[in-house]
Amino acid sequence: MNFQAIILAAGESSRFWPLNQRHKSLFKIMGRPLIWYTIESLRKAGIKDIIVVQGPKKEVEEELKNYNLGVGIKYVIQSEPKGMGNALWQTRNLIKNRFFVLNAERVDCDEIIQNLQLTTYNLQLKSILFGQKTENPQLFGMAKLKGDRILEIVEKPKKGKEPSDIKVVGIYLLEPSFFNIYQKVEKHVYDFEDALSEYAKKNYVKMIILKKLERETPPLKYSWHLFEVERYLFDKFLKREISKSAKLAKNVLIEGKVYVGKNARIFEGAVIKGPCYIGDNCIVGNNSLIREYTNLEENSLIGAFTEVTRSIFQEDVHTHSGYSGDSIFGKGCRLGAGTITANVRIDRGEIIVKSKIKNQISKINTGLTSLGAIVGENTKTGIHCSLMPGVLIGSNCLIGPNSVIFENVENNTNFYTEFKGIKK
């Protein structure tokens, strides 16, 4: 297919707090940022002319310099986070023919694009969108349809106002004349959807409803959505492999698909039950248990007598004895001995997360009954800390010894519950 692709990797990722110190597509799974998997998926789909829209810090460009991608990439800057339409507008002078637009964390785009070949695809069609049924229409742009033709896109409709149960999957096939429509619509954060609706009124835009994927395509709107993306990537890419330079004690037990990276050290009595990823230079201490979709990025340290399950650690996270379940820790975190993440409510009910977006606090139904803590970069906990289910803790925080965290903790907070329960 002679198409270009535009990857959108700018924006604030505000809903992704507390893991939004960099663009969310730079979060790593199995040693590579999510955007790497997206680019690899495009390459597998035969698309090698790629434009990446990034923020003014050029963090995406700097990160991707570390990889041999096998495709041609041009970078453009979106100077301010003014939404998807404005990001797309920055690429208009580089577009030569029809192009795909997708978010940077669309790691399954090859499976989606392949659906073009599984349909009676008409090369005369200028534009195609992909859809999928969802039970959470309030999170997505929803399609108003007449047969397989899109009439309108309704962004994040209120309950009871959904035009259908078909969400628009975050990948679009458009053609250059779309920019003529976009130029005329009123500019705001959702002007892309407005322009798409206007374009659909004047052109036949086909909706291909995805039915052949094994699971609902993973979103990445909130930080806890990383668990589903991680599962998708583990199931697709993870292989059992132990690096020759890794050092394993004689009585270490490894079961299932487990990757152990270069110079990793796993001490006596440790048990690792896959699927798990243990990155380069990681240390797993004596009698520790690592299991079930745990991802440890390079230089992470798991102390003796620690259990980690279904959790994601970024680079250089250190934890001593304790328990981490269904939790995510940003780069550079330090967890004191006895730090426990509670990952199930005492009544076993659904875990509700309080999320602050643009100074507005909302209660978000996660749909999960197991969810621990999600912690930003460089945060430290003292000994014997307890983190309750679904709490979000920002970056650069200090959580004092014996603290019990029931509510979210903002970035750069020193938090102590000992003595008077004060925040300093």
Side-chain angles (χ1 to χ4, degrees):
M1 291 180 289
N2 187 25
F3 298 134
Q4 294 175 280
I6 300 172
I7 297 177
L8 304 178
E12 297 176 312
S13 303
S14 58
R15 286 179 292 185
F16 206 61
W17 184 84
L19 304 178
N20 62 342
Q21 288 68 45
R22 299 199 298 167
H23 192 270
K24 59 186 176 182
S25 68
L26 297 178
F27 200 90
K28 288 186 177 180
I29 299 294
M30 294 188 292
R32 300 180 185 276
L34 298 180
I35 191 172
W36 181 91
Y37 294 101
T38 301
I39 292 170
E40 176 66 8
S41 289
L42 288 171
R43 187 189 67 79
K44 287 181 177 178
I47 299 173
K48 298 184 179 181
D49 186 354
I50 298 172
I51 303 166
V52 174
V53 184
Q54 62 180 336
K57 294 181 180 179
K58 299 183 179 180
E59 294 171 324
V60 175
E61 185 174 355
E62 287 300 312
E63 177 66 34
L64 290 179
K65 285 180 180 178
N66 299 318
Y67 306 95
N68 181 13
L69 300 170
V71 298
I73 297 183
K74 300 181 181 68
Y75 295 94
V76 298
I77 302 295
Q78 184 185 28
S79 57
E80 297 179 52
K82 294 183 177 180
M84 183 175 173
N86 179 266
L88 184 60
W89 180 251
Q90 311 308 317
T91 70
R92 63 194 183 280
N93 295 326
L94 298 175
I95 297 300
K96 304 170 186 175
N97 44 44
R98 279 181 295 177
F99 57 93
F100 287 99
V101 181
L102 63 156
N103 291 326
E105 65 279 3
R106 192 77 260 174
V107 298
D108 58 350
C109 60
D110 58 330
E111 295 184 31
I112 297 172
I113 291 172
Q114 286 169 6
N115 275 264
L116 291 176
Q117 301 171 0
L118 299 174
T119 64
T120 54
Y121 175 52
N122 186 342
L123 291 176
Q124 301 305 313
L125 287 174
K126 296 180 179 180
S127 300
I128 294 175
L129 274 61
F130 299 89
Q132 196 170 43
K133 288 188 176 182
T134 181
E135 295 179 356
N136 301 294
Q138 288 73 41
L139 293 178
F140 305 101
M142 302 300 293
K144 183 178 180 180
L145 298 169
K146 183 177 181 180
D148 64 358
R149 180 177 180 176
I150 296 177
L151 302 179
E152 185 181 3
I153 305 297
V154 180
E155 183 65 23
K156 298 178 180 66
K158 293 182 179 180
K159 192 171 183 178
K161 301 292 185 181
E162 306 90 346
S164 71
D165 61 351
I166 302 297
K167 72 175 182 179
V168 178
V169 174
I171 180 167
Y172 312 81
L173 176 60
L174 301 173
E175 46 101 18
S177 68
F178 175 81
F179 290 105
N180 298 330
I181 302 292
Y182 176 78
Q183 193 172 15
K184 297 175 182 178
V185 300
E186 181 180 353
K187 300 300 181 285
H188 59 95
V189 68
Y190 294 127
D191 55 18
F192 173 79
E193 288 77 11
D194 290 350
L196 200 56
S197 292
E198 288 298 314
Y199 180 87
K201 292 176 183 178
K202 300 178 180 180
N203 300 274
Y204 184 87
V205 180
K206 181 182 177 67
M207 169 67 82
I208 294 178
I209 298 177
L210 302 175
K211 297 179 180 178
K212 296 185 177 293
L213 301 183
E214 294 182 358
R215 64 180 77 182
E216 184 172 355
T217 51
L220 196 59
K221 294 182 180 294
Y222 296 104
S223 52
W224 55 90
H225 290 158
L226 273 167
F227 293 115
E228 185 62 26
V229 175
E230 181 213 34
R231 282 178 173 267
Y232 174 86
L233 292 174
F234 268 37
D235 292 347
K236 187 172 183 178
F237 292 108
L238 184 64
K239 296 180 180 178
R240 183 181 173 99
E241 180 180 345
I242 299 175
S243 173
K244 293 181 180 179
S245 61
K247 296 181 179 180
L248 280 63
K250 290 183 179 179
N251 63 340
V252 167
L253 175 62
I254 296 180
E255 295 182 352
K257 288 197 300 183
V258 174
Y259 175 94
V260 180
K262 297 176 182 177
N263 301 310
R265 289 185 291 166
I266 304 178
F267 285 84
E268 289 82 1
V271 176
I272 304 176
K273 296 188 175 183
C276 290
Y277 175 90
I278 314 294
D280 295 347
N281 304 306
C282 284
I283 296 175
V284 178
N286 300 75
N287 302 302
S288 290
L289 172 60
I290 313 295
R291 62 187 178 92
E292 292 182 64
Y293 291 96
T294 286
N295 182 94
L296 305 180
E297 290 298 320
E298 63 180 359
N299 299 312
S300 289
L301 184 152
I302 306 300
F305 299 97
T306 300
E307 181 178 357
V308 182
T309 181
R310 298 183 302 275
S311 291
I312 303 173
F313 287 30
Q314 290 299 276
E315 305 99 309
D316 195 36
V317 175
H318 293 193
T319 179
H320 295 278
S321 59
Y323 174 74
S324 297
D326 301 287
S327 296
I328 305 173
F329 293 94
K331 183 177 180 180
C333 285
R334 297 289 185 269
L335 308 180
T339 294
I340 302 292
T341 64
N343 58 337
V344 178
R345 282 174 40 162
I346 196 168
D347 64 359
R348 301 306 191 257
E350 179 184 0
I351 295 172
I352 310 298
V353 172
K354 292 182 180 179
S355 181
K356 186 172 77 171
I357 304 171
K358 297 181 179 179
N359 297 318
Q360 296 291 324
I361 296 178
S362 301
K363 292 184 178 180
I364 309 297
N365 293 71
T366 65
L368 303 173
T369 55
S370 295
L371 175 62
I374 300 177
V375 183
E377 294 183 359
N378 301 312
T379 283
K380 299 176 175 64
T381 70
I383 62 170
H384 301 301
C385 289
S386 300
L387 314 181
M388 292 298 106
V391 296
L392 309 179
I393 300 175
S395 294
N396 306 307
C397 294
L398 294 177
I399 308 299
N402 293 315
S403 292
V404 182
I405 307 298
F406 284 96
E407 300 288 342
N408 293 350
V409 178
E410 295 295 326
N411 293 344
N412 307 305
T413 298
N414 292 354
F415 187 99
Y416 300 87
T417 55
E418 192 174 359
F419 303 114
K420 296 182 180 180
I422 61 174
K423 294 182 182 180
K424 294 184 179 180

PDB file of all heavy atoms in Angstrom, residues 39-64:
ATOM      1  N   ILE A  39       5.481   2.037  15.445  1.00  0.00           N
ATOM      2  CA  ILE A  39       6.259   2.161  14.205  1.00  0.00           C
ATOM      3  C   ILE A  39       6.547   0.787  13.613  1.00  0.00           C
ATOM      4  O   ILE A  39       6.454   0.584  12.396  1.00  0.00           O
ATOM      5  CB  ILE A  39       7.559   2.940  14.483  1.00  0.00           C
ATOM      6  CG1 ILE A  39       7.229   4.396  14.826  1.00  0.00           C
ATOM      7  CG2 ILE A  39       8.499   2.883  13.281  1.00  0.00           C
ATOM      8  CD1 ILE A  39       8.408   5.191  15.353  1.00  0.00           C
ATOM      9  N   GLU A  40       6.874  -0.179  14.450  1.00  0.00           N
ATOM     10  CA  GLU A  40       7.125  -1.534  13.976  1.00  0.00           C
ATOM     11  C   GLU A  40       5.868  -2.128  13.342  1.00  0.00           C
ATOM     12  O   GLU A  40       5.943  -2.822  12.315  1.00  0.00           O
ATOM     13  CB  GLU A  40       7.614  -2.405  15.132  1.00  0.00           C
ATOM     14  CG  GLU A  40       7.823  -3.869  14.797  1.00  0.00           C
ATOM     15  CD  GLU A  40       8.943  -4.119  13.803  1.00  0.00           C
ATOM     16  OE1 GLU A  40       9.681  -3.159  13.460  1.00  0.00           O
ATOM     17  OE2 GLU A  40       9.082  -5.271  13.357  1.00  0.00           O
ATOM     18  N   SER A  41       4.702  -1.847  13.928  1.00  0.00           N
ATOM     19  CA  SER A  41       3.450  -2.338  13.352  1.00  0.00           C
ATOM     20  C   SER A  41       3.198  -1.726  11.983  1.00  0.00           C
ATOM     21  O   SER A  41       2.746  -2.410  11.059  1.00  0.00           O
ATOM     22  CB  SER A  41       2.283  -2.023  14.292  1.00  0.00           C
ATOM     23  OG  SER A  41       2.336  -2.834  15.441  1.00  0.00           O
ATOM     24  N   LEU A  42       3.474  -0.430  11.838  1.00  0.00           N
ATOM     25  CA  LEU A  42       3.328   0.215  10.531  1.00  0.00           C
ATOM     26  C   LEU A  42       4.285  -0.401   9.511  1.00  0.00           C
ATOM     27  O   LEU A  42       3.912  -0.631   8.356  1.00  0.00           O
ATOM     28  CB  LEU A  42       3.575   1.714  10.659  1.00  0.00           C
ATOM     29  CG  LEU A  42       2.487   2.527  11.360  1.00  0.00           C
ATOM     30  CD1 LEU A  42       2.964   3.948  11.613  1.00  0.00           C
ATOM     31  CD2 LEU A  42       1.199   2.559  10.544  1.00  0.00           C
ATOM     32  N   ARG A  43       5.503  -0.653   9.938  1.00  0.00           N
ATOM     33  CA  ARG A  43       6.475  -1.258   9.026  1.00  0.00           C
ATOM     34  C   ARG A  43       5.986  -2.626   8.555  1.00  0.00           C
ATOM     35  O   ARG A  43       6.085  -2.962   7.361  1.00  0.00           O
ATOM     36  CB  ARG A  43       7.830  -1.380   9.726  1.00  0.00           C
ATOM     37  CG  ARG A  43       8.960  -1.838   8.802  1.00  0.00           C
ATOM     38  CD  ARG A  43      10.221  -2.149   9.579  1.00  0.00           C
ATOM     39  NE  ARG A  43      10.047  -3.317  10.436  1.00  0.00           N
ATOM     40  CZ  ARG A  43      10.103  -4.572  10.008  1.00  0.00           C
ATOM     41  NH1 ARG A  43      10.339  -4.829   8.720  1.00  0.00           N
ATOM     42  NH2 ARG A  43       9.928  -5.575  10.841  1.00  0.00           N
ATOM     43  N   LYS A  44       5.454  -3.417   9.482  1.00  0.00           N
ATOM     44  CA  LYS A  44       4.939  -4.739   9.103  1.00  0.00           C
ATOM     45  C   LYS A  44       3.760  -4.630   8.149  1.00  0.00           C
ATOM     46  O   LYS A  44       3.529  -5.527   7.332  1.00  0.00           O
ATOM     47  CB  LYS A  44       4.522  -5.504  10.359  1.00  0.00           C
ATOM     48  CG  LYS A  44       5.690  -5.995  11.192  1.00  0.00           C
ATOM     49  CD  LYS A  44       5.196  -6.773  12.404  1.00  0.00           C
ATOM     50  CE  LYS A  44       6.344  -7.331  13.212  1.00  0.00           C
ATOM     51  NZ  LYS A  44       5.869  -8.059  14.417  1.00  0.00           N
ATOM     52  N   ALA A  45       3.009  -3.537   8.258  1.00  0.00           N
ATOM     53  CA  ALA A  45       1.867  -3.327   7.365  1.00  0.00           C
ATOM     54  C   ALA A  45       2.294  -2.737   6.022  1.00  0.00           C
ATOM     55  O   ALA A  45       1.449  -2.467   5.167  1.00  0.00           O
ATOM     56  CB  ALA A  45       0.845  -2.409   8.031  1.00  0.00           C
ATOM     57  N   GLY A  46       3.595  -2.533   5.835  1.00  0.00           N
ATOM     58  CA  GLY A  46       4.111  -2.041   4.559  1.00  0.00           C
ATOM     59  C   GLY A  46       4.188  -0.537   4.446  1.00  0.00           C
ATOM     60  O   GLY A  46       4.389  -0.009   3.342  1.00  0.00           O
ATOM     61  N   ILE A  47       4.051   0.187   5.552  1.00  0.00           N
ATOM     62  CA  ILE A  47       4.086   1.653   5.524  1.00  0.00           C
ATOM     63  C   ILE A  47       5.415   2.114   6.096  1.00  0.00           C
ATOM     64  O   ILE A  47       5.712   1.889   7.275  1.00  0.00           O
ATOM     65  CB  ILE A  47       2.917   2.245   6.328  1.00  0.00           C
ATOM     66  CG1 ILE A  47       1.599   1.781   5.711  1.00  0.00           C
ATOM     67  CG2 ILE A  47       2.990   3.768   6.364  1.00  0.00           C
ATOM     68  CD1 ILE A  47       0.388   2.163   6.513  1.00  0.00           C
ATOM     69  N   LYS A  48       6.214   2.781   5.247  1.00  0.00           N
ATOM     70  CA  LYS A  48       7.562   3.162   5.658  1.00  0.00           C
ATOM     71  C   LYS A  48       7.823   4.663   5.525  1.00  0.00           C
ATOM     72  O   LYS A  48       8.943   5.114   5.768  1.00  0.00           O
ATOM     73  CB  LYS A  48       8.590   2.379   4.843  1.00  0.00           C
ATOM     74  CG  LYS A  48       8.501   0.858   5.065  1.00  0.00           C
ATOM     75  CD  LYS A  48       9.588   0.121   4.319  1.00  0.00           C
ATOM     76  CE  LYS A  48       9.500  -1.383   4.582  1.00  0.00           C
ATOM     77  NZ  LYS A  48      10.577  -2.137   3.886  1.00  0.00           N
ATOM     78  N   ASP A  49       6.812   5.408   5.126  1.00  0.00           N
ATOM     79  CA  ASP A  49       6.917   6.871   5.039  1.00  0.00           C
ATOM     80  C   ASP A  49       6.098   7.446   6.190  1.00  0.00           C
ATOM     81  O   ASP A  49       4.872   7.525   6.113  1.00  0.00           O
ATOM     82  CB  ASP A  49       6.388   7.342   3.687  1.00  0.00           C
ATOM     83  CG  ASP A  49       6.600   8.846   3.473  1.00  0.00           C
ATOM     84  OD1 ASP A  49       7.045   9.538   4.418  1.00  0.00           O
ATOM     85  OD2 ASP A  49       6.294   9.340   2.373  1.00  0.00           O
ATOM     86  N   ILE A  50       6.765   7.830   7.269  1.00  0.00           N
ATOM     87  CA  ILE A  50       6.097   8.176   8.518  1.00  0.00           C
ATOM     88  C   ILE A  50       6.464   9.588   8.953  1.00  0.00           C
ATOM     89  O   ILE A  50       7.622   9.993   8.876  1.00  0.00           O
ATOM     90  CB  ILE A  50       6.473   7.157   9.624  1.00  0.00           C
ATOM     91  CG1 ILE A  50       5.988   5.752   9.226  1.00  0.00           C
ATOM     92  CG2 ILE A  50       5.888   7.564  10.973  1.00  0.00           C
ATOM     93  CD1 ILE A  50       6.468   4.658  10.151  1.00  0.00           C
ATOM     94  N   ILE A  51       5.461  10.303   9.412  1.00  0.00           N
ATOM     95  CA  ILE A  51       5.639  11.639   9.981  1.00  0.00           C
ATOM     96  C   ILE A  51       5.231  11.567  11.450  1.00  0.00           C
ATOM     97  O   ILE A  51       4.146  11.078  11.768  1.00  0.00           O
ATOM     98  CB  ILE A  51       4.788  12.683   9.249  1.00  0.00           C
ATOM     99  CG1 ILE A  51       5.115  12.693   7.750  1.00  0.00           C
ATOM    100  CG2 ILE A  51       4.986  14.075   9.850  1.00  0.00           C
ATOM    101  CD1 ILE A  51       4.099  13.431   6.908  1.00  0.00           C
ATOM    102  N   VAL A  52       6.088  12.045  12.337  1.00  0.00           N
ATOM    103  CA  VAL A  52       5.794  12.055  13.764  1.00  0.00           C
ATOM    104  C   VAL A  52       5.611  13.494  14.219  1.00  0.00           C
ATOM    105  O   VAL A  52       6.490  14.337  14.016  1.00  0.00           O
ATOM    106  CB  VAL A  52       6.917  11.387  14.578  1.00  0.00           C
ATOM    107  CG1 VAL A  52       6.663  11.540  16.081  1.00  0.00           C
ATOM    108  CG2 VAL A  52       7.041   9.913  14.211  1.00  0.00           C
ATOM    109  N   VAL A  53       4.466  13.767  14.824  1.00  0.00           N
ATOM    110  CA  VAL A  53       4.206  15.083  15.415  1.00  0.00           C
ATOM    111  C   VAL A  53       4.548  14.998  16.898  1.00  0.00           C
ATOM    112  O   VAL A  53       3.977  14.192  17.630  1.00  0.00           O
ATOM    113  CB  VAL A  53       2.735  15.510  15.245  1.00  0.00           C
ATOM    114  CG1 VAL A  53       2.522  16.915  15.788  1.00  0.00           C
ATOM    115  CG2 VAL A  53       2.318  15.426  13.778  1.00  0.00           C
ATOM    116  N   GLN A  54       5.486  15.818  17.329  1.00  0.00           N
ATOM    117  CA  GLN A  54       5.936  15.786  18.714  1.00  0.00           C
ATOM    118  C   GLN A  54       5.858  17.173  19.343  1.00  0.00           C
ATOM    119  O   GLN A  54       5.583  18.167  18.674  1.00  0.00           O
ATOM    120  CB  GLN A  54       7.377  15.277  18.786  1.00  0.00           C
ATOM    121  CG  GLN A  54       8.373  16.164  18.046  1.00  0.00           C
ATOM    122  CD  GLN A  54       9.798  15.649  18.132  1.00  0.00           C
ATOM    123  OE1 GLN A  54      10.163  14.920  19.045  1.00  0.00           O
ATOM    124  NE2 GLN A  54      10.619  16.034  17.161  1.00  0.00           N
ATOM    125  N   GLY A  55       6.071  17.237  20.649  1.00  0.00           N
ATOM    126  CA  GLY A  55       6.062  18.501  21.358  1.00  0.00           C
ATOM    127  C   GLY A  55       7.373  19.254  21.196  1.00  0.00           C
ATOM    128  O   GLY A  55       8.347  18.738  20.639  1.00  0.00           O
ATOM    129  N   PRO A  56       7.430  20.487  21.703  1.00  0.00           N
ATOM    130  CA  PRO A  56       8.619  21.338  21.500  1.00  0.00           C
ATOM    131  C   PRO A  56       9.879  20.817  22.175  1.00  0.00           C
ATOM    132  O   PRO A  56      10.989  21.207  21.800  1.00  0.00           O
ATOM    133  CB  PRO A  56       8.190  22.689  22.079  1.00  0.00           C
ATOM    134  CG  PRO A  56       7.031  22.399  22.965  1.00  0.00           C
ATOM    135  CD  PRO A  56       6.347  21.214  22.394  1.00  0.00           C
ATOM    136  N   LYS A  57       9.757  19.923  23.171  1.00  0.00           N
ATOM    137  CA  LYS A  57      10.952  19.383  23.834  1.00  0.00           C
ATOM    138  C   LYS A  57      11.661  18.319  22.991  1.00  0.00           C
ATOM    139  O   LYS A  57      12.776  17.905  23.322  1.00  0.00           O
ATOM    140  CB  LYS A  57      10.583  18.794  25.196  1.00  0.00           C
ATOM    141  CG  LYS A  57      10.113  19.829  26.202  1.00  0.00           C
ATOM    142  CD  LYS A  57       9.797  19.163  27.538  1.00  0.00           C
ATOM    143  CE  LYS A  57       9.325  20.175  28.565  1.00  0.00           C
ATOM    144  NZ  LYS A  57       8.998  19.533  29.873  1.00  0.00           N
ATOM    145  N   LYS A  58      11.012  17.850  21.951  1.00  0.00           N
ATOM    146  CA  LYS A  58      11.577  16.858  21.031  1.00  0.00           C
ATOM    147  C   LYS A  58      11.983  15.568  21.742  1.00  0.00           C
ATOM    148  O   LYS A  58      12.925  14.887  21.356  1.00  0.00           O
ATOM    149  CB  LYS A  58      12.777  17.439  20.271  1.00  0.00           C
ATOM    150  CG  LYS A  58      12.447  18.649  19.420  1.00  0.00           C
ATOM    151  CD  LYS A  58      13.665  19.122  18.641  1.00  0.00           C
ATOM    152  CE  LYS A  58      13.326  20.325  17.770  1.00  0.00           C
ATOM    153  NZ  LYS A  58      14.504  20.792  17.010  1.00  0.00           N
ATOM    154  N   GLU A  59      11.232  15.190  22.786  1.00  0.00           N
ATOM    155  CA  GLU A  59      11.574  13.990  23.554  1.00  0.00           C
ATOM    156  C   GLU A  59      11.406  12.716  22.738  1.00  0.00           C
ATOM    157  O   GLU A  59      12.180  11.764  22.895  1.00  0.00           O
ATOM    158  CB  GLU A  59      10.709  13.920  24.809  1.00  0.00           C
ATOM    159  CG  GLU A  59      10.971  15.030  25.805  1.00  0.00           C
ATOM    160  CD  GLU A  59       9.948  15.058  26.924  1.00  0.00           C
ATOM    161  OE1 GLU A  59       8.766  14.777  26.648  1.00  0.00           O
ATOM    162  OE2 GLU A  59      10.347  15.357  28.061  1.00  0.00           O
ATOM    163  N   VAL A  60      10.404  12.704  21.878  1.00  0.00           N
ATOM    164  CA  VAL A  60      10.163  11.508  21.057  1.00  0.00           C
ATOM    165  C   VAL A  60      11.320  11.292  20.090  1.00  0.00           C
ATOM    166  O   VAL A  60      11.850  10.176  19.950  1.00  0.00           O
ATOM    167  CB  VAL A  60       8.833  11.637  20.304  1.00  0.00           C
ATOM    168  CG1 VAL A  60       8.649  10.458  19.350  1.00  0.00           C
ATOM    169  CG2 VAL A  60       7.666  11.719  21.279  1.00  0.00           C
ATOM    170  N   GLU A  61      11.727  12.352  19.426  1.00  0.00           N
ATOM    171  CA  GLU A  61      12.839  12.266  18.477  1.00  0.00           C
ATOM    172  C   GLU A  61      14.115  11.804  19.176  1.00  0.00           C
ATOM    173  O   GLU A  61      14.858  10.961  18.654  1.00  0.00           O
ATOM    174  CB  GLU A  61      13.052  13.634  17.834  1.00  0.00           C
ATOM    175  CG  GLU A  61      14.086  13.663  16.740  1.00  0.00           C
ATOM    176  CD  GLU A  61      14.148  15.014  16.044  1.00  0.00           C
ATOM    177  OE1 GLU A  61      13.320  15.891  16.361  1.00  0.00           O
ATOM    178  OE2 GLU A  61      15.038  15.185  15.189  1.00  0.00           O
ATOM    179  N   GLU A  62      14.384  12.350  20.357  1.00  0.00           N
ATOM    180  CA  GLU A  62      15.583  11.967  21.107  1.00  0.00           C
ATOM    181  C   GLU A  62      15.548  10.486  21.484  1.00  0.00           C
ATOM    182  O   GLU A  62      16.557   9.787  21.395  1.00  0.00           O
ATOM    183  CB  GLU A  62      15.725  12.830  22.357  1.00  0.00           C
ATOM    184  CG  GLU A  62      16.160  14.256  22.088  1.00  0.00           C
ATOM    185  CD  GLU A  62      17.509  14.337  21.395  1.00  0.00           C
ATOM    186  OE1 GLU A  62      18.448  13.648  21.860  1.00  0.00           O
ATOM    187  OE2 GLU A  62      17.625  15.060  20.388  1.00  0.00           O
ATOM    188  N   GLU A  63      14.390  10.005  21.917  1.00  0.00           N
ATOM    189  CA  GLU A  63      14.277   8.599  22.315  1.00  0.00           C
ATOM    190  C   GLU A  63      14.440   7.671  21.124  1.00  0.00           C
ATOM    191  O   GLU A  63      15.134   6.645  21.204  1.00  0.00           O
ATOM    192  CB  GLU A  63      12.922   8.351  22.987  1.00  0.00           C
ATOM    193  CG  GLU A  63      12.660   6.909  23.385  1.00  0.00           C
ATOM    194  CD  GLU A  63      13.594   6.408  24.468  1.00  0.00           C
ATOM    195  OE1 GLU A  63      13.979   7.208  25.348  1.00  0.00           O
ATOM    196  OE2 GLU A  63      13.954   5.208  24.440  1.00  0.00           O
ATOM    197  N   LEU A  64      13.825   7.996  19.995  1.00  0.00           N
ATOM    198  CA  LEU A  64      13.847   7.093  18.846  1.00  0.00           C
ATOM    199  C   LEU A  64      15.210   7.044  18.158  1.00  0.00           C
ATOM    200  O   LEU A  64      15.459   6.131  17.361  1.00  0.00           O
ATOM    201  CB  LEU A  64      12.758   7.510  17.849  1.00  0.00           C
ATOM    202  CG  LEU A  64      11.320   7.253  18.312  1.00  0.00           C
ATOM    203  CD1 LEU A  64      10.325   7.732  17.264  1.00  0.00           C
ATOM    204  CD2 LEU A  64      11.089   5.779  18.633  1.00  0.00           C
TER     205      LEU A  64
END
